[in-house]
Amino acid sequence: MLKKAIPFIFVLLWSTGFVGAKFGLIDSNAATFLLIRMALNVLVFIAILLVMKPVMPKGMQIVHALASGILIHGFYLGGVFAAIDHGMPAGLSSLLVGLQPILTAVIVVNTSSERLNTAQWLGLAAGIIGIAFVVQGKMSWGIDAQPLYAYLFVGSALLGITFGTLYQKHFCQGMNLVASAMWQYVAATMVFLPIVWLIVGVQVTWTLTFSLTMLWSVLVLSVVAVLLYLYMVDQGAASKVTSYIYLVPPLAALQGWLFFDEAFSGATLIGFACCAMAVYLVMKAPKLSLR
């Protein structure tokens, strides 16, 4: 029963990352927030590893974990935070990154033995229709928004999470999840450190809002949600795991409306409903067949 609930617990927690980014960026720039978060993640995971004392990755396993971390945490998180920092609504950023199941399915079908059946293709089609409705609907951007840069950054986030997931599935399967995540956060720290040090500079004000957001980001998102995600990738077919991402945009948009008054229209709601239907179709279908 608990195993079946894991994807939905993951979706609920993962969706808070988008509105969490908006809270964090009130008192910091994107690179500084993520550098602090990644460094704290490393410390937290070292503490967990000292208690658990698992079998640690060695040699190429460490290299694979580092590469996965650059993609999943460097490109994905960096792209999402930068897009929101450039004025993109939290709901829209989560939706565009939610193209991941479609991109993953296209890559998987053309590069592996996994095959999608009719119901799953219908689910992916429903996801595309849902995304089209949301893009056509009204969503409020920031006052000083820079849409071009925001779309470029969210595009890099989409590529990062898609290829990061496939890389994790192919090269890191069977590796201890906590140890793997620790090395991933080491890699992400090395991504954001030169950006802060050489380009944007340290910009942070330690307010109560910032501190609570950082605490939530580290303990809930980086520890609980990420480990759930890595567990799902390790246990399931990549195309099915990523289909859960379709459930994130409606929750992120609702949170954006509740906390930041981000407006959305009836067309947006229809789009979110289509995305939910996409998840149902993909997950209801039998397992992917082998060629």
Side-chain angles (χ1 to χ4, degrees), residues 166-202:
L166 292 172
Y167 192 95
Q168 174 77 23
K169 178 68 177 177
H170 187 73
F171 292 105
C172 302
Q173 192 168 18
M175 198 182 305
N176 180 270
L177 295 181
V178 177
S180 175
M182 189 277 290
W183 282 113
Q184 288 181 12
Y185 290 133
V186 169
T189 302
M190 294 301 101
V191 169
F192 297 118
L193 181 59
I195 296 175
V196 172
W197 188 267
L198 301 174
I199 302 176
V200 300
V202 177

PDB file of all heavy atoms in Angstrom, residues 166-202:
ATOM      1  N   LEU A 166      17.145   9.427 -17.717  1.00  0.00           N
ATOM      2  CA  LEU A 166      17.565   8.292 -18.536  1.00  0.00           C
ATOM      3  C   LEU A 166      18.983   7.846 -18.174  1.00  0.00           C
ATOM      4  O   LEU A 166      19.275   6.644 -18.132  1.00  0.00           O
ATOM      5  CB  LEU A 166      17.493   8.680 -20.020  1.00  0.00           C
ATOM      6  CG  LEU A 166      16.078   8.914 -20.561  1.00  0.00           C
ATOM      7  CD1 LEU A 166      16.143   9.471 -21.976  1.00  0.00           C
ATOM      8  CD2 LEU A 166      15.258   7.630 -20.525  1.00  0.00           C
ATOM      9  N   TYR A 167      19.852   8.810 -17.899  1.00  0.00           N
ATOM     10  CA  TYR A 167      21.220   8.481 -17.504  1.00  0.00           C
ATOM     11  C   TYR A 167      21.217   7.747 -16.166  1.00  0.00           C
ATOM     12  O   TYR A 167      21.928   6.756 -15.981  1.00  0.00           O
ATOM     13  CB  TYR A 167      22.044   9.766 -17.409  1.00  0.00           C
ATOM     14  CG  TYR A 167      23.535   9.526 -17.279  1.00  0.00           C
ATOM     15  CD1 TYR A 167      24.348   9.527 -18.405  1.00  0.00           C
ATOM     16  CD2 TYR A 167      24.125   9.281 -16.034  1.00  0.00           C
ATOM     17  CE1 TYR A 167      25.715   9.301 -18.297  1.00  0.00           C
ATOM     18  CE2 TYR A 167      25.479   9.037 -15.923  1.00  0.00           C
ATOM     19  CZ  TYR A 167      26.272   9.055 -17.059  1.00  0.00           C
ATOM     20  OH  TYR A 167      27.625   8.816 -16.937  1.00  0.00           O
ATOM     21  N   GLN A 168      20.421   8.258 -15.222  1.00  0.00           N
ATOM     22  CA  GLN A 168      20.313   7.626 -13.906  1.00  0.00           C
ATOM     23  C   GLN A 168      19.821   6.190 -14.039  1.00  0.00           C
ATOM     24  O   GLN A 168      20.332   5.276 -13.397  1.00  0.00           O
ATOM     25  CB  GLN A 168      19.358   8.439 -13.027  1.00  0.00           C
ATOM     26  CG  GLN A 168      19.035   7.838 -11.674  1.00  0.00           C
ATOM     27  CD  GLN A 168      20.156   8.027 -10.677  1.00  0.00           C
ATOM     28  OE1 GLN A 168      20.964   8.931 -10.827  1.00  0.00           O
ATOM     29  NE2 GLN A 168      20.175   7.207  -9.640  1.00  0.00           N
ATOM     30  N   LYS A 169      18.812   5.998 -14.886  1.00  0.00           N
ATOM     31  CA  LYS A 169      18.243   4.668 -15.070  1.00  0.00           C
ATOM     32  C   LYS A 169      19.255   3.708 -15.685  1.00  0.00           C
ATOM     33  O   LYS A 169      19.342   2.536 -15.298  1.00  0.00           O
ATOM     34  CB  LYS A 169      16.995   4.773 -15.970  1.00  0.00           C
ATOM     35  CG  LYS A 169      16.325   3.451 -16.290  1.00  0.00           C
ATOM     36  CD  LYS A 169      15.691   2.837 -15.058  1.00  0.00           C
ATOM     37  CE  LYS A 169      14.971   1.547 -15.405  1.00  0.00           C
ATOM     38  NZ  LYS A 169      14.412   0.886 -14.207  1.00  0.00           N
ATOM     39  N   HIS A 170      20.056   4.200 -16.616  1.00  0.00           N
ATOM     40  CA  HIS A 170      20.963   3.325 -17.354  1.00  0.00           C
ATOM     41  C   HIS A 170      22.263   3.039 -16.613  1.00  0.00           C
ATOM     42  O   HIS A 170      22.751   1.898 -16.600  1.00  0.00           O
ATOM     43  CB  HIS A 170      21.288   3.953 -18.713  1.00  0.00           C
ATOM     44  CG  HIS A 170      22.085   3.059 -19.618  1.00  0.00           C
ATOM     45  ND1 HIS A 170      21.537   1.954 -20.246  1.00  0.00           N
ATOM     46  CD2 HIS A 170      23.393   3.091 -19.994  1.00  0.00           C
ATOM     47  CE1 HIS A 170      22.468   1.351 -20.967  1.00  0.00           C
ATOM     48  NE2 HIS A 170      23.616   2.023 -20.830  1.00  0.00           N
ATOM     49  N   PHE A 171      22.831   4.067 -15.968  1.00  0.00           N
ATOM     50  CA  PHE A 171      24.180   3.929 -15.416  1.00  0.00           C
ATOM     51  C   PHE A 171      24.236   3.815 -13.889  1.00  0.00           C
ATOM     52  O   PHE A 171      25.253   3.384 -13.349  1.00  0.00           O
ATOM     53  CB  PHE A 171      25.054   5.111 -15.840  1.00  0.00           C
ATOM     54  CG  PHE A 171      25.367   5.140 -17.307  1.00  0.00           C
ATOM     55  CD1 PHE A 171      24.734   6.049 -18.136  1.00  0.00           C
ATOM     56  CD2 PHE A 171      26.274   4.254 -17.855  1.00  0.00           C
ATOM     57  CE1 PHE A 171      25.023   6.084 -19.492  1.00  0.00           C
ATOM     58  CE2 PHE A 171      26.567   4.278 -19.211  1.00  0.00           C
ATOM     59  CZ  PHE A 171      25.936   5.200 -20.046  1.00  0.00           C
ATOM     60  N   CYS A 172      23.166   4.236 -13.199  1.00  0.00           N
ATOM     61  CA  CYS A 172      23.240   4.291 -11.733  1.00  0.00           C
ATOM     62  C   CYS A 172      22.325   3.299 -11.038  1.00  0.00           C
ATOM     63  O   CYS A 172      22.189   3.330  -9.813  1.00  0.00           O
ATOM     64  CB  CYS A 172      22.906   5.704 -11.238  1.00  0.00           C
ATOM     65  SG  CYS A 172      23.984   6.990 -11.928  1.00  0.00           S
ATOM     66  N   GLN A 173      21.691   2.420 -11.796  1.00  0.00           N
ATOM     67  CA  GLN A 173      20.757   1.470 -11.206  1.00  0.00           C
ATOM     68  C   GLN A 173      21.503   0.493 -10.289  1.00  0.00           C
ATOM     69  O   GLN A 173      22.577  -0.006 -10.629  1.00  0.00           O
ATOM     70  CB  GLN A 173      20.019   0.701 -12.294  1.00  0.00           C
ATOM     71  CG  GLN A 173      18.834  -0.096 -11.775  1.00  0.00           C
ATOM     72  CD  GLN A 173      17.961  -0.602 -12.911  1.00  0.00           C
ATOM     73  OE1 GLN A 173      18.376  -0.646 -14.046  1.00  0.00           O
ATOM     74  NE2 GLN A 173      16.736  -0.987 -12.584  1.00  0.00           N
ATOM     75  N   GLY A 174      20.939   0.241  -9.114  1.00  0.00           N
ATOM     76  CA  GLY A 174      21.544  -0.664  -8.156  1.00  0.00           C
ATOM     77  C   GLY A 174      22.511   0.013  -7.205  1.00  0.00           C
ATOM     78  O   GLY A 174      22.919  -0.577  -6.213  1.00  0.00           O
ATOM     79  N   MET A 175      22.863   1.253  -7.483  1.00  0.00           N
ATOM     80  CA  MET A 175      23.752   2.000  -6.598  1.00  0.00           C
ATOM     81  C   MET A 175      22.966   2.458  -5.372  1.00  0.00           C
ATOM     82  O   MET A 175      21.772   2.742  -5.474  1.00  0.00           O
ATOM     83  CB  MET A 175      24.304   3.229  -7.339  1.00  0.00           C
ATOM     84  CG  MET A 175      25.538   3.862  -6.722  1.00  0.00           C
ATOM     85  SD  MET A 175      26.060   5.354  -7.643  1.00  0.00           S
ATOM     86  CE  MET A 175      26.228   4.689  -9.315  1.00  0.00           C
ATOM     87  N   ASN A 176      23.598   2.504  -4.207  1.00  0.00           N
ATOM     88  CA  ASN A 176      22.917   2.998  -3.017  1.00  0.00           C
ATOM     89  C   ASN A 176      22.391   4.403  -3.271  1.00  0.00           C
ATOM     90  O   ASN A 176      23.156   5.303  -3.673  1.00  0.00           O
ATOM     91  CB  ASN A 176      23.882   2.994  -1.830  1.00  0.00           C
ATOM     92  CG  ASN A 176      23.222   3.504  -0.561  1.00  0.00           C
ATOM     93  OD1 ASN A 176      23.255   4.702  -0.276  1.00  0.00           O
ATOM     94  ND2 ASN A 176      22.632   2.610   0.202  1.00  0.00           N
ATOM     95  N   LEU A 177      21.098   4.622  -3.051  1.00  0.00           N
ATOM     96  CA  LEU A 177      20.470   5.884  -3.424  1.00  0.00           C
ATOM     97  C   LEU A 177      21.011   7.071  -2.641  1.00  0.00           C
ATOM     98  O   LEU A 177      21.206   8.157  -3.187  1.00  0.00           O
ATOM     99  CB  LEU A 177      18.945   5.777  -3.234  1.00  0.00           C
ATOM    100  CG  LEU A 177      18.221   4.780  -4.140  1.00  0.00           C
ATOM    101  CD1 LEU A 177      16.723   4.806  -3.850  1.00  0.00           C
ATOM    102  CD2 LEU A 177      18.484   5.095  -5.606  1.00  0.00           C
ATOM    103  N   VAL A 178      21.247   6.888  -1.354  1.00  0.00           N
ATOM    104  CA  VAL A 178      21.748   7.986  -0.528  1.00  0.00           C
ATOM    105  C   VAL A 178      23.164   8.368  -0.943  1.00  0.00           C
ATOM    106  O   VAL A 178      23.487   9.551  -1.097  1.00  0.00           O
ATOM    107  CB  VAL A 178      21.705   7.617   0.968  1.00  0.00           C
ATOM    108  CG1 VAL A 178      22.289   8.738   1.818  1.00  0.00           C
ATOM    109  CG2 VAL A 178      20.272   7.319   1.404  1.00  0.00           C
ATOM    110  N   ALA A 179      24.002   7.373  -1.151  1.00  0.00           N
ATOM    111  CA  ALA A 179      25.377   7.639  -1.572  1.00  0.00           C
ATOM    112  C   ALA A 179      25.407   8.291  -2.947  1.00  0.00           C
ATOM    113  O   ALA A 179      26.169   9.235  -3.196  1.00  0.00           O
ATOM    114  CB  ALA A 179      26.182   6.345  -1.579  1.00  0.00           C
ATOM    115  N   SER A 180      24.569   7.801  -3.848  1.00  0.00           N
ATOM    116  CA  SER A 180      24.492   8.373  -5.185  1.00  0.00           C
ATOM    117  C   SER A 180      24.041   9.833  -5.131  1.00  0.00           C
ATOM    118  O   SER A 180      24.603  10.707  -5.799  1.00  0.00           O
ATOM    119  CB  SER A 180      23.520   7.562  -6.048  1.00  0.00           C
ATOM    120  OG  SER A 180      23.338   8.153  -7.307  1.00  0.00           O
ATOM    121  N   ALA A 181      23.013  10.103  -4.309  1.00  0.00           N
ATOM    122  CA  ALA A 181      22.507  11.470  -4.187  1.00  0.00           C
ATOM    123  C   ALA A 181      23.558  12.405  -3.613  1.00  0.00           C
ATOM    124  O   ALA A 181      23.668  13.569  -4.026  1.00  0.00           O
ATOM    125  CB  ALA A 181      21.252  11.479  -3.313  1.00  0.00           C
ATOM    126  N   MET A 182      24.360  11.936  -2.664  1.00  0.00           N
ATOM    127  CA  MET A 182      25.397  12.779  -2.086  1.00  0.00           C
ATOM    128  C   MET A 182      26.380  13.242  -3.152  1.00  0.00           C
ATOM    129  O   MET A 182      26.733  14.417  -3.241  1.00  0.00           O
ATOM    130  CB  MET A 182      26.122  12.011  -0.975  1.00  0.00           C
ATOM    131  CG  MET A 182      27.092  12.870  -0.142  1.00  0.00           C
ATOM    132  SD  MET A 182      28.710  13.088  -0.897  1.00  0.00           S
ATOM    133  CE  MET A 182      29.380  11.425  -0.748  1.00  0.00           C
ATOM    134  N   TRP A 183      26.812  12.302  -4.009  1.00  0.00           N
ATOM    135  CA  TRP A 183      27.734  12.670  -5.079  1.00  0.00           C
ATOM    136  C   TRP A 183      27.060  13.566  -6.106  1.00  0.00           C
ATOM    137  O   TRP A 183      27.702  14.447  -6.709  1.00  0.00           O
ATOM    138  CB  TRP A 183      28.296  11.411  -5.743  1.00  0.00           C
ATOM    139  CG  TRP A 183      29.373  10.754  -4.948  1.00  0.00           C
ATOM    140  CD1 TRP A 183      29.338   9.531  -4.328  1.00  0.00           C
ATOM    141  CD2 TRP A 183      30.674  11.296  -4.672  1.00  0.00           C
ATOM    142  NE1 TRP A 183      30.517   9.279  -3.673  1.00  0.00           N
ATOM    143  CE2 TRP A 183      31.362  10.349  -3.867  1.00  0.00           C
ATOM    144  CE3 TRP A 183      31.325  12.481  -5.002  1.00  0.00           C
ATOM    145  CZ2 TRP A 183      32.665  10.542  -3.412  1.00  0.00           C
ATOM    146  CZ3 TRP A 183      32.620  12.682  -4.550  1.00  0.00           C
ATOM    147  CH2 TRP A 183      33.271  11.725  -3.767  1.00  0.00           C
ATOM    148  N   GLN A 184      25.769  13.366  -6.330  1.00  0.00           N
ATOM    149  CA  GLN A 184      25.047  14.252  -7.237  1.00  0.00           C
ATOM    150  C   GLN A 184      25.057  15.690  -6.718  1.00  0.00           C
ATOM    151  O   GLN A 184      25.237  16.644  -7.489  1.00  0.00           O
ATOM    152  CB  GLN A 184      23.608  13.761  -7.406  1.00  0.00           C
ATOM    153  CG  GLN A 184      23.473  12.492  -8.227  1.00  0.00           C
ATOM    154  CD  GLN A 184      22.036  12.051  -8.388  1.00  0.00           C
ATOM    155  OE1 GLN A 184      21.113  12.805  -8.079  1.00  0.00           O
ATOM    156  NE2 GLN A 184      21.837  10.832  -8.866  1.00  0.00           N
ATOM    157  N   TYR A 185      24.871  15.849  -5.419  1.00  0.00           N
ATOM    158  CA  TYR A 185      24.863  17.195  -4.843  1.00  0.00           C
ATOM    159  C   TYR A 185      26.260  17.816  -4.832  1.00  0.00           C
ATOM    160  O   TYR A 185      26.404  19.040  -4.935  1.00  0.00           O
ATOM    161  CB  TYR A 185      24.273  17.151  -3.439  1.00  0.00           C
ATOM    162  CG  TYR A 185      22.785  16.871  -3.426  1.00  0.00           C
ATOM    163  CD1 TYR A 185      22.227  15.928  -2.562  1.00  0.00           C
ATOM    164  CD2 TYR A 185      21.930  17.542  -4.297  1.00  0.00           C
ATOM    165  CE1 TYR A 185      20.869  15.666  -2.566  1.00  0.00           C
ATOM    166  CE2 TYR A 185      20.576  17.281  -4.311  1.00  0.00           C
ATOM    167  CZ  TYR A 185      20.051  16.343  -3.444  1.00  0.00           C
ATOM    168  OH  TYR A 185      18.699  16.091  -3.457  1.00  0.00           O
ATOM    169  N   VAL A 186      27.286  16.982  -4.721  1.00  0.00           N
ATOM    170  CA  VAL A 186      28.655  17.489  -4.851  1.00  0.00           C
ATOM    171  C   VAL A 186      28.846  18.080  -6.255  1.00  0.00           C
ATOM    172  O   VAL A 186      29.397  19.182  -6.416  1.00  0.00           O
ATOM    173  CB  VAL A 186      29.684  16.364  -4.599  1.00  0.00           C
ATOM    174  CG1 VAL A 186      31.089  16.820  -5.004  1.00  0.00           C
ATOM    175  CG2 VAL A 186      29.671  15.951  -3.135  1.00  0.00           C
ATOM    176  N   ALA A 187      28.372  17.354  -7.263  1.00  0.00           N
ATOM    177  CA  ALA A 187      28.488  17.828  -8.643  1.00  0.00           C
ATOM    178  C   ALA A 187      27.726  19.133  -8.848  1.00  0.00           C
ATOM    179  O   ALA A 187      28.230  20.073  -9.484  1.00  0.00           O
ATOM    180  CB  ALA A 187      27.964  16.761  -9.606  1.00  0.00           C
ATOM    181  N   ALA A 188      26.500  19.204  -8.300  1.00  0.00           N
ATOM    182  CA  ALA A 188      25.698  20.415  -8.454  1.00  0.00           C
ATOM    183  C   ALA A 188      26.343  21.605  -7.751  1.00  0.00           C
ATOM    184  O   ALA A 188      26.303  22.742  -8.248  1.00  0.00           O
ATOM    185  CB  ALA A 188      24.297  20.176  -7.901  1.00  0.00           C
ATOM    186  N   THR A 189      26.948  21.379  -6.591  1.00  0.00           N
ATOM    187  CA  THR A 189      27.662  22.445  -5.886  1.00  0.00           C
ATOM    188  C   THR A 189      28.776  22.998  -6.760  1.00  0.00           C
ATOM    189  O   THR A 189      28.978  24.223  -6.850  1.00  0.00           O
ATOM    190  CB  THR A 189      28.263  21.920  -4.565  1.00  0.00           C
ATOM    191  OG1 THR A 189      27.217  21.405  -3.748  1.00  0.00           O
ATOM    192  CG2 THR A 189      28.978  23.042  -3.809  1.00  0.00           C
ATOM    193  N   MET A 190      29.492  22.118  -7.444  1.00  0.00           N
ATOM    194  CA  MET A 190      30.581  22.549  -8.330  1.00  0.00           C
ATOM    195  C   MET A 190      30.064  23.290  -9.561  1.00  0.00           C
ATOM    196  O   MET A 190      30.793  24.074 -10.167  1.00  0.00           O
ATOM    197  CB  MET A 190      31.406  21.330  -8.766  1.00  0.00           C
ATOM    198  CG  MET A 190      32.158  20.641  -7.629  1.00  0.00           C
ATOM    199  SD  MET A 190      33.330  21.773  -6.787  1.00  0.00           S
ATOM    200  CE  MET A 190      32.396  22.207  -5.300  1.00  0.00           C
ATOM    201  N   VAL A 191      28.798  23.047  -9.934  1.00  0.00           N
ATOM    202  CA  VAL A 191      28.197  23.778 -11.053  1.00  0.00           C
ATOM    203  C   VAL A 191      27.897  25.212 -10.650  1.00  0.00           C
ATOM    204  O   VAL A 191      28.219  26.170 -11.383  1.00  0.00           O
ATOM    205  CB  VAL A 191      26.899  23.076 -11.528  1.00  0.00           C
ATOM    206  CG1 VAL A 191      26.128  23.991 -12.504  1.00  0.00           C
ATOM    207  CG2 VAL A 191      27.217  21.759 -12.202  1.00  0.00           C
ATOM    208  N   PHE A 192      27.287  25.390  -9.468  1.00  0.00           N
ATOM    209  CA  PHE A 192      26.830  26.724  -9.083  1.00  0.00           C
ATOM    210  C   PHE A 192      27.919  27.585  -8.446  1.00  0.00           C
ATOM    211  O   PHE A 192      27.819  28.813  -8.470  1.00  0.00           O
ATOM    212  CB  PHE A 192      25.635  26.607  -8.126  1.00  0.00           C
ATOM    213  CG  PHE A 192      24.438  25.952  -8.753  1.00  0.00           C
ATOM    214  CD1 PHE A 192      23.941  24.751  -8.255  1.00  0.00           C
ATOM    215  CD2 PHE A 192      23.819  26.522  -9.855  1.00  0.00           C
ATOM    216  CE1 PHE A 192      22.850  24.139  -8.841  1.00  0.00           C
ATOM    217  CE2 PHE A 192      22.719  25.912 -10.449  1.00  0.00           C
ATOM    218  CZ  PHE A 192      22.238  24.722  -9.941  1.00  0.00           C
ATOM    219  N   LEU A 193      28.968  26.963  -7.898  1.00  0.00           N
ATOM    220  CA  LEU A 193      30.027  27.729  -7.243  1.00  0.00           C
ATOM    221  C   LEU A 193      30.702  28.719  -8.188  1.00  0.00           C
ATOM    222  O   LEU A 193      30.809  29.910  -7.859  1.00  0.00           O
ATOM    223  CB  LEU A 193      31.053  26.772  -6.627  1.00  0.00           C
ATOM    224  CG  LEU A 193      32.225  27.437  -5.887  1.00  0.00           C
ATOM    225  CD1 LEU A 193      31.717  28.302  -4.744  1.00  0.00           C
ATOM    226  CD2 LEU A 193      33.206  26.378  -5.369  1.00  0.00           C
ATOM    227  N   PRO A 194      31.178  28.314  -9.361  1.00  0.00           N
ATOM    228  CA  PRO A 194      31.807  29.298 -10.246  1.00  0.00           C
ATOM    229  C   PRO A 194      30.838  30.351 -10.782  1.00  0.00           C
ATOM    230  O   PRO A 194      31.237  31.484 -11.054  1.00  0.00           O
ATOM    231  CB  PRO A 194      32.377  28.437 -11.378  1.00  0.00           C
ATOM    232  CG  PRO A 194      31.610  27.162 -11.331  1.00  0.00           C
ATOM    233  CD  PRO A 194      31.266  26.938  -9.898  1.00  0.00           C
ATOM    234  N   ILE A 195      29.561  29.978 -10.934  1.00  0.00           N
ATOM    235  CA  ILE A 195      28.573  30.955 -11.402  1.00  0.00           C
ATOM    236  C   ILE A 195      28.417  32.075 -10.384  1.00  0.00           C
ATOM    237  O   ILE A 195      28.405  33.262 -10.720  1.00  0.00           O
ATOM    238  CB  ILE A 195      27.216  30.264 -11.659  1.00  0.00           C
ATOM    239  CG1 ILE A 195      27.339  29.250 -12.797  1.00  0.00           C
ATOM    240  CG2 ILE A 195      26.137  31.302 -11.981  1.00  0.00           C
ATOM    241  CD1 ILE A 195      26.081  28.439 -13.041  1.00  0.00           C
ATOM    242  N   VAL A 196      28.318  31.702  -9.104  1.00  0.00           N
ATOM    243  CA  VAL A 196      28.199  32.706  -8.042  1.00  0.00           C
ATOM    244  C   VAL A 196      29.504  33.469  -7.883  1.00  0.00           C
ATOM    245  O   VAL A 196      29.516  34.707  -7.780  1.00  0.00           O
ATOM    246  CB  VAL A 196      27.807  32.027  -6.709  1.00  0.00           C
ATOM    247  CG1 VAL A 196      27.873  33.027  -5.564  1.00  0.00           C
ATOM    248  CG2 VAL A 196      26.405  31.430  -6.804  1.00  0.00           C
ATOM    249  N   TRP A 197      30.626  32.757  -7.877  1.00  0.00           N
ATOM    250  CA  TRP A 197      31.934  33.358  -7.597  1.00  0.00           C
ATOM    251  C   TRP A 197      32.381  34.300  -8.715  1.00  0.00           C
ATOM    252  O   TRP A 197      32.908  35.389  -8.449  1.00  0.00           O
ATOM    253  CB  TRP A 197      32.967  32.250  -7.410  1.00  0.00           C
ATOM    254  CG  TRP A 197      34.305  32.738  -6.926  1.00  0.00           C
ATOM    255  CD1 TRP A 197      35.381  33.082  -7.698  1.00  0.00           C
ATOM    256  CD2 TRP A 197      34.695  32.952  -5.574  1.00  0.00           C
ATOM    257  NE1 TRP A 197      36.420  33.480  -6.916  1.00  0.00           N
ATOM    258  CE2 TRP A 197      36.038  33.416  -5.607  1.00  0.00           C
ATOM    259  CE3 TRP A 197      34.055  32.781  -4.347  1.00  0.00           C
ATOM    260  CZ2 TRP A 197      36.741  33.717  -4.443  1.00  0.00           C
ATOM    261  CZ3 TRP A 197      34.765  33.074  -3.188  1.00  0.00           C
ATOM    262  CH2 TRP A 197      36.082  33.544  -3.244  1.00  0.00           C
ATOM    263  N   LEU A 198      32.139  33.905  -9.981  1.00  0.00           N
ATOM    264  CA  LEU A 198      32.695  34.650 -11.110  1.00  0.00           C
ATOM    265  C   LEU A 198      31.700  35.513 -11.867  1.00  0.00           C
ATOM    266  O   LEU A 198      32.099  36.473 -12.543  1.00  0.00           O
ATOM    267  CB  LEU A 198      33.352  33.666 -12.092  1.00  0.00           C
ATOM    268  CG  LEU A 198      34.495  32.799 -11.543  1.00  0.00           C
ATOM    269  CD1 LEU A 198      34.925  31.784 -12.594  1.00  0.00           C
ATOM    270  CD2 LEU A 198      35.659  33.672 -11.103  1.00  0.00           C
ATOM    271  N   ILE A 199      30.397  35.206 -11.764  1.00  0.00           N
ATOM    272  CA  ILE A 199      29.430  35.890 -12.630  1.00  0.00           C
ATOM    273  C   ILE A 199      28.423  36.745 -11.856  1.00  0.00           C
ATOM    274  O   ILE A 199      28.395  37.978 -12.021  1.00  0.00           O
ATOM    275  CB  ILE A 199      28.672  34.864 -13.509  1.00  0.00           C
ATOM    276  CG1 ILE A 199      29.677  34.067 -14.357  1.00  0.00           C
ATOM    277  CG2 ILE A 199      27.660  35.567 -14.413  1.00  0.00           C
ATOM    278  CD1 ILE A 199      29.052  32.959 -15.179  1.00  0.00           C
ATOM    279  N   VAL A 200      27.599  36.139 -11.025  1.00  0.00           N
ATOM    280  CA  VAL A 200      26.489  36.882 -10.416  1.00  0.00           C
ATOM    281  C   VAL A 200      26.814  37.429  -9.038  1.00  0.00           C
ATOM    282  O   VAL A 200      26.175  38.383  -8.574  1.00  0.00           O
ATOM    283  CB  VAL A 200      25.210  36.008 -10.346  1.00  0.00           C
ATOM    284  CG1 VAL A 200      24.791  35.572 -11.729  1.00  0.00           C
ATOM    285  CG2 VAL A 200      25.428  34.800  -9.442  1.00  0.00           C
ATOM    286  N   GLY A 201      27.773  36.827  -8.338  1.00  0.00           N
ATOM    287  CA  GLY A 201      28.088  37.278  -6.989  1.00  0.00           C
ATOM    288  C   GLY A 201      27.101  36.736  -5.958  1.00  0.00           C
ATOM    289  O   GLY A 201      26.019  36.255  -6.297  1.00  0.00           O
ATOM    290  N   VAL A 202      27.498  36.804  -4.700  1.00  0.00           N
ATOM    291  CA  VAL A 202      26.645  36.337  -3.601  1.00  0.00           C
ATOM    292  C   VAL A 202      25.586  37.386  -3.305  1.00  0.00           C
ATOM    293  O   VAL A 202      25.902  38.522  -2.955  1.00  0.00           O
ATOM    294  CB  VAL A 202      27.467  36.053  -2.334  1.00  0.00           C
ATOM    295  CG1 VAL A 202      26.551  35.635  -1.185  1.00  0.00           C
ATOM    296  CG2 VAL A 202      28.516  34.989  -2.595  1.00  0.00           C
TER     297      VAL A 202
END
